Amino acid sequence: MKDTKFRGIICPVVTPFDVNGKIDETIFRREVKYLLNTGIHGISPGGSTGEGAALHDDELTRLVEIIQEENANQIPVVAGIIRNSTQDAIRAGLAVKKAGADALMVTPTYYNVLVPDNAGNYEFFKSIAEDVGLPVIIYNVVPQNEITPELFYRMLDVENIIGIKQSVGGIQAFYKMKLMCGNKGLIYSATDDMLYSTFALGADGAIAAILTLFPEQCLKIWDFVESGDYDGARALQDKMYPIWQIISGPQFPRRIKQALQFVGRYSGYCRSPILSASTVEKEKLEVLMKEL
Amino acid sequence: MKDTKFRGIICPVVTPFDVNGKIDETIFRREVKYLLNTGIHGISPGGSTGEGAALHDDELTRLVEIIQEENANQIPVVAGIIRNSTQDAIRAGLAVKKAGADALMVTPTYYNVLVPDNAGNYEFFKSIAEDVGLPVIIYNVVPQNEITPELFYRMLDVENIIGIKQSVGGIQAFYKMKLMCGNKGLIYSATDDMLYSTFALGADGAIAAILTLFPEQCLKIWDFVESGDYDGARALQDKMYPIWQIISGPQFPRRIKQALQFVGRYSGYCRSPILSASTVEKEKLEVLMKEL
Amino acid sequence: MKDTKFRGIICPVVTPFDVNGKIDETIFRREVKYLLNTGIHGISPGGSTGEGAALHDDELTRLVEIIQEENANQIPVVAGIIRNSTQDAIRAGLAVKKAGADALMVTPTYYNVLVPDNAGNYEFFKSIAEDVGLPVIIYNVVPQNEITPELFYRMLDVENIIGIKQSVGGIQAFYKMKLMCGNKGLIYSATDDMLYSTFALGADGAIAAILTLFPEQCLKIWDFVESGDYDGARALQDKMYPIWQIISGPQFPRRIKQALQFVGRYSGYCRSPILSASTVEKEKLEVLMKEL
Amino acid sequence: MKDTKFRGIICPVVTPFDVNGKIDETIFRREVKYLLNTGIHGISPGGSTGEGAALHDDELTRLVEIIQEENANQIPVVAGIIRNSTQDAIRAGLAVKKAGADALMVTPTYYNVLVPDNAGNYEFFKSIAEDVGLPVIIYNVVPQNEITPELFYRMLDVENIIGIKQSVGGIQAFYKMKLMCGNKGLIYSATDDMLYSTFALGADGAIAAILTLFPEQCLKIWDFVESGDYDGARALQDKMYPIWQIISGPQFPRRIKQALQFVGRYSGYCRSPILSASTVEKEKLEVLMKEL
């Protein structure tokens, strides 16, 4: 059954690196405190926004520890797991569980020629759910290894598999997933520029990069829709839309970090090979952030 | 300059796993011996065929050690490096260098939303080439992070970057790369079902999964083209073509392992989440392998 | 400026053919009468639903004449123009104008290797608008020749170009078009399975195949959103969604005609090479139509 | 069975238009004479190069008449038929047959949402072949309506369906078609920049835009391969390659016409909405044409 304690705005958090590619824990802790103060309903390190594919288990573990030092189990901590084999995903899952994670958000494997078929994906998520023993949210973000609504529907019979963050395919894929599986599992929006539209279609929450940049506004959109104020929600969505057009796309964490800097939340470097935002990206962002 | 000692048939080798996902060193050693006896010009563990994205550094290192125990530096050992950050790729490169690798075959990073732009890719390969200090062959296999001929041409000015294995885009991308960069760097064919056609366009060699299944025939195609017998080469290509149509595609290593079993070279399991070949796959392969 | 007389539910109409590929005017007239009785705000022959790419000018003209015989200028008649050169589109436009059309809905040219660039598309639509002298709605349905929001924004300075029917790219492309051009031109939804969601984002109307199958329900969705009853609108959208999943895709007119038959509105054959719906399609549709 | 009189270099010919979009018969006749003098094995008006999708039946007919006035049945005339319904294709086929065409080269229908399934495509080509009574070459150029090797294999049992011009999918699709259907039908190369490579794989001929720009060189490539001089053939292919990179892509006829002008064969305008080549295109072409 759907576990409603995981509903709402589950906010990703960036992983700040220093110039040598080491995690800057001071900045990370400051970001965590900032986000917790906004009233978000959950927090999620180690996803795409957190450059999780480039994080080792011990680093991911440390991020969860720092979060729980500040959070003290007030809101759920959903740890991102982005690995390329079942055993690596389980090992990472056990590590963050020990560090205090409340749930896992797990991508399918993604090295193009090694992505499995439905049977392999089923075994992958089932093994993780059973061996780690934490609630699992599938992070459906890999175009070359997409989890279909039919497959997710079957997976929902596995204990601990509770939801899906629908990223590939945009709002149309979200809606399809919602209509087919929404009565059994949690369906999260990851359509950063159309949050209102997905909330109006019954999303159980959002886990999306834009939440970490504009947590207050995204919480407002959520509350507006919950209270039936669709026009208010749409107005906010319209306003944030052009900024997301600049940020989205490959290596978006560098543009998120640049935008965070523009709102006074400097968040360090990305991990190589992702370099800092280009001059053109900075200029485009600066203009739009000022207009907001 | 082009280092001709790396020309020719550089043969990938599968990584045999037991039912628990541990490497089976006995089978691996037997496969290595088999391949070395065929007269291949180079050998390459840890690529896509070797499920390199799912291998840890210590495992990859062990594979290189075993190869050198059998090979004793007779032919070049080109170790596959499939990692998601610059520092992880360098660490893996240093490990296999110590174990006896003669060169690296390195993919660009591949987690879709974290793939870098040209500047990031340039830094990625330059750092690896410089910090590891081994010849580097770029493994151009990631559709979401393709290295263009223009970028590769620039990279060829970096010491130790010596070649590219052109996989994405098929023979047409290979030909473009060859015409633009063939005078400066080694251009390897990875078009498993059209080896002759790429050799006839001047490929400096091949690094392709099909080599490990049919090393003798692929060596013959190479020799035929070198000696000007194009008709002989094409006849062999025509013959192997239908088998590759069954093997190619996502999770092809499981079908390579199945085909190896049909020719008496049982190679164990794939690492989860890749399951063993399906009944349908087995049946299709069996029919074709018998016809060969 | 936006011409509000073209707002609302502009309903396509199928072109019924007999077994020899001739238009069956009796059935067409009956369909027109049926649709006019539902209270639709406009009617549109000769689009994709009407198999307009396979209609000659004289046939298209006859369809417009029949419509006006029944409609007597009560609601706007928007004639589809699907042609492959500027001169052919103008000729067709002049013919339907003479027959009583109130506006044109014109696709860009679509033979893949002959699609023009932005300058050519601009000239195409400008020439049609000027030479025919009727309001023009661009029918943005050709993936290989997509009109961008930037280009459409410029086109809106041409007299008579009044709107766009946004079909390629789904709701996300619709929303982008709406935000960029919605203050200058009419933006029509063509997202058959998400009409409510596009109306809630401010669509000026819809021109979509599903309207001709479920005109009453689609009018209700429109009215619900106009009156602020978003939940009512979404419930209807949820209900029609699965049927559209069966109908949509290449050669959808044959499935529309099959569905029309199931609701007692037999509409003849499609024009060859489109054959009648397959047995599988019929069975899937029958089950869903009964559930509705 | 394969009709060998249609083997070899079947050369497309452009359709020159004046500034008002009318066919310039004087230029067309001059082009036809030029091509016939080169020794080509066949000639093909009204294909993509000839902007056939924008030509009416009477125009196409006139082109065939002019060709036969100069050709006097010396070499086969293969008329392009690019239409959107079975009846339109048959009507066009009968018209060009009367005008003296020896064979038809027919595309599948191409308006995206109206493309048929396999059964519809089979009926389309069968009806044309039977009702027109001329040899039919399928022009496999429409990505949204691709004829598979399996389907073509079945079609080859229809009398008068004799071959396929394989354009979509490049050399790899060509090779697949050749291996599956080459013993029953003629397989033509349409891979403009890799003619030698397809000839070396057993192409029965070529029908490709580049032939009309460089007929002498393409004839040489054909003869080189026929006589076993693969190196000579490859050298010519290497030389023409960069020019095709500039010419290929949407609206390529305008760049063909520009290139023809650079070699002293001015060929007028394209039909609107295709405008003349841009300044950038002209400059790129001029540099390369001079180098040749």
Side-chain angles (χ1 to χ4, degrees), chain A residues 60-82:
Chain A
L60 190 55
T61 301
R62 185 67 194 122
L63 298 182
V64 172
E65 286 170 357
I66 293 171
I67 289 174
Q68 286 297 26
E69 286 166 18
E70 303 298 330
N71 175 52
N73 293 310
Q74 295 292 299
I75 60 170
V77 179
V78 181
I81 305 287
I82 306 178

Side-chain angles (χ1 to χ4, degrees), chain C residues 3-277:
Chain C
D3 192 338
T4 51
K5 93 170 174 193
F6 290 105
R7 284 187 88 242
I9 298 298
I10 299 181
C11 189
V13 50
V14 296
T15 307
F17 296 100
D18 67 19
V19 72
N20 297 313
K22 285 224 154 22
I23 294 178
D24 185 323
E25 297 193 1
T26 311
I27 300 181
F28 182 73
R29 189 181 298 270
R30 198 209 60 215
E31 268 298 299
V32 168
K33 281 185 187 171
Y34 179 90
L35 295 172
L36 292 176
N37 277 333
T38 62
I40 51 172
H41 310 123
I43 187 163
S44 181
S48 298
T49 306
E51 300 170 58
L55 292 177
H56 290 210
D57 288 3
D58 57 341
E59 295 174 319
L60 191 55
T61 301
R62 186 68 194 119
L63 299 182
V64 173
E65 286 170 356
I66 294 171
I67 290 174
Q68 286 297 27
E69 287 165 18
E70 303 299 329
N71 174 55
N73 294 308
Q74 295 293 299
I75 60 170
V77 179
V78 181
I81 305 286
I82 306 180
R83 293 294 182 262
N84 271 302
S85 72
T86 308
Q87 62 188 44
D88 279 3
I90 290 171
R91 190 178 297 126
L94 288 170
V96 295
K97 182 186 184 184
K98 206 171 154 194
D102 299 292
L104 307 180
M105 178 180 78
V106 186
T107 65
T109 58
Y110 54 97
Y111 183 64
N112 304 63
V113 294
L114 293 179
V115 299
D117 56 10
N118 280 348
N121 275 318
Y122 187 87
E123 178 163 306
F124 177 75
F125 286 105
K126 185 169 184 284
S127 300
I128 297 166
E130 289 179 352
D131 289 9
V132 177
L134 279 184
V136 168
I137 294 164
I138 292 169
Y139 182 7
N140 204 7
V141 69
V142 180
Q144 64 270 30
N145 192 11
E146 196 174 343
I147 306 300
T148 63
E150 290 76 11
L151 178 57
F152 178 58
Y153 193 85
R154 279 205 298 126
M155 284 182 181
L156 280 167
D157 289 334
V158 176
E159 200 181 333
N160 276 329
I161 296 185
I162 63 162
I164 195 161
K165 171 182 170 181
Q166 184 61 37
S167 192
V168 274
I171 185 171
Q172 282 158 315
F174 166 84
Y175 185 40
K176 186 168 203 169
M177 193 62 85
K178 177 73 192 166
L179 284 179
M180 275 198 63
C181 306
N183 61 332
K184 277 178 82 180
L186 296 159
I187 317 293
Y188 294 96
S189 166
T191 312
D192 299 79
D193 48 7
M194 298 186 79
L195 292 176
Y196 146 66
S197 297
T198 52
F199 294 168
L201 288 168
D204 294 295
I207 316 177
I210 204 168
L211 309 184
T212 209
L213 179 58
F214 300 125
E216 297 89 349
Q217 291 91 327
C218 295
L219 283 161
K220 265 193 208 161
I221 295 179
W222 178 256
D223 291 339
F224 277 145
V225 174
E226 293 265 300
S227 68
D229 181 359
Y230 284 59
D231 290 344
R234 187 185 143 204
L236 267 178
Q237 174 176 295
D238 286 358
K239 230 169 143 183
M240 297 192 313
Y241 180 88
I243 292 182
W244 187 251
Q245 304 317 303
I246 306 299
I247 293 176
S248 70
Q251 56 178 358
F252 74 82
R254 81 184 204 174
R255 291 181 294 278
I256 285 278
K257 283 178 176 169
Q258 182 61 58
L260 285 172
Q261 188 173 353
F262 282 132
V263 294
R265 293 160 58 198
Y266 173 74
S267 292
Y269 294 84
C270 290
R271 183 162 268 180
S272 176
I274 301 189
L275 311 179
S276 295

Side-chain angles (χ1 to χ4, degrees), chain A residues 33-207:
Chain A
K33 280 186 187 172
Y34 180 89
L35 294 172
L36 293 176
N37 277 332
T38 62
I40 52 172
H41 310 123
I43 187 164
S44 180
S48 297
T49 306
E51 298 169 58
L55 292 177
H56 290 209
D57 287 3
D58 58 341
E59 295 174 320
L60 190 55
T61 301
R62 185 67 194 122
L63 298 182
V64 172
E65 286 170 357
I66 293 171
I67 289 174
Q68 286 297 26
E69 286 166 18
E70 303 298 330
N71 175 52
N73 293 310
Q74 295 292 299
I75 60 170
V77 179
V78 181
I81 305 287
I82 306 178
R83 294 294 183 262
N84 272 301
S85 71
T86 309
Q87 61 187 46
D88 280 4
I90 291 171
R91 190 178 297 125
L94 289 168
V96 296
K97 183 187 184 184
K98 207 172 153 193
D102 300 292
L104 307 180
M105 177 180 78
V106 186
T107 66
T109 58
Y110 53 99
Y111 182 65
N112 303 62
V113 293
L114 294 179
V115 298
D117 55 11
N118 280 348
N121 275 318
Y122 187 86
E123 177 164 305
F124 178 75
F125 286 105
K126 184 169 184 283
S127 301
I128 297 166
E130 288 178 354
D131 290 9
V132 177
L134 279 183
V136 168
I137 295 163
I138 292 169
Y139 181 8
N140 205 6
V141 70
V142 180
Q144 64 269 30
N145 191 10
E146 196 173 343
I147 306 300
T148 63
E150 290 77 10
L151 179 57
F152 178 58
Y153 193 84
R154 280 205 297 127
M155 286 182 180
L156 280 167
D157 289 334
V158 176
E159 201 182 333
N160 276 329
I161 296 185
I162 63 163
I164 196 161
K165 170 183 171 183
Q166 184 60 37
S167 193
V168 275
I171 185 170
Q172 283 158 315
F174 165 84
Y175 185 40
K176 186 168 204 168
M177 193 62 86
K178 177 72 192 167
L179 284 180
M180 275 198 62
C181 307
N183 61 332
K184 277 177 82 180
L186 297 159
I187 317 293
Y188 293 96
S189 166
T191 312
D192 298 79
D193 48 8
M194 297 185 81
L195 292 178
Y196 145 66
S197 297
T198 53
F199 294 168
L201 288 168
D204 294 295
I207 315 177

Side-chain angles (χ1 to χ4, degrees), chain C residues 20-22 47-48 51-54 56 59 82 84-88 91 107 109-117 119-121 123-124 127 139 141-144 249-254 271-275 278 281, chain D residues 20-22 47-48 51-54 56 59 82 84-88 91 107 109-117 119-121 123-124 127 139 141-144 249-254 271-275 278 281:
Chain C
N20 297 313
K22 285 224 154 22
S48 298
E51 300 170 58
H56 290 210
E59 295 174 319
I82 306 180
N84 271 302
S85 72
T86 308
Q87 62 188 44
D88 279 3
R91 190 178 297 126
T107 65
T109 58
Y110 54 97
Y111 183 64
N112 304 63
V113 294
L114 293 179
V115 299
D117 56 10
N121 275 318
E123 178 163 306
F124 177 75
S127 300
Y139 182 7
V141 69
V142 180
Q144 64 270 30
Q251 56 178 358
F252 74 82
R254 81 184 204 174
R271 183 162 268 180
S272 176
I274 301 189
L275 311 179
S278 68
E281 289 173 338
Chain D
N20 298 314
K22 284 224 155 26
S48 297
E51 299 169 59
H56 290 209
E59 295 173 319
I82 306 178
N84 272 302
S85 71
T86 308
Q87 61 187 46
D88 280 2
R91 191 178 296 126
T107 65
T109 58
Y110 53 98
Y111 183 65
N112 304 62
V113 294
L114 294 180
V115 299
D117 55 12
N121 276 317
E123 178 163 307
F124 177 75
S127 300
Y139 182 7
V141 69
V142 180
Q144 63 270 29
Q251 56 179 359
F252 74 81
R254 80 185 207 175
R271 184 162 267 179
S272 177
I274 300 188
L275 311 179
S278 69
E281 289 173 337

Side-chain angles (χ1 to χ4, degrees), chain A residues 56 86 88 111 113 251 272, chain B residues 48 56 86 88 111 113 251 272:
Chain A
H56 290 209
T86 309
D88 280 4
Y111 182 65
V113 293
Q251 56 178 357
S272 177
Chain B
S48 297
H56 290 210
T86 309
D88 279 3
Y111 183 65
V113 293
Q251 57 178 357
S272 176

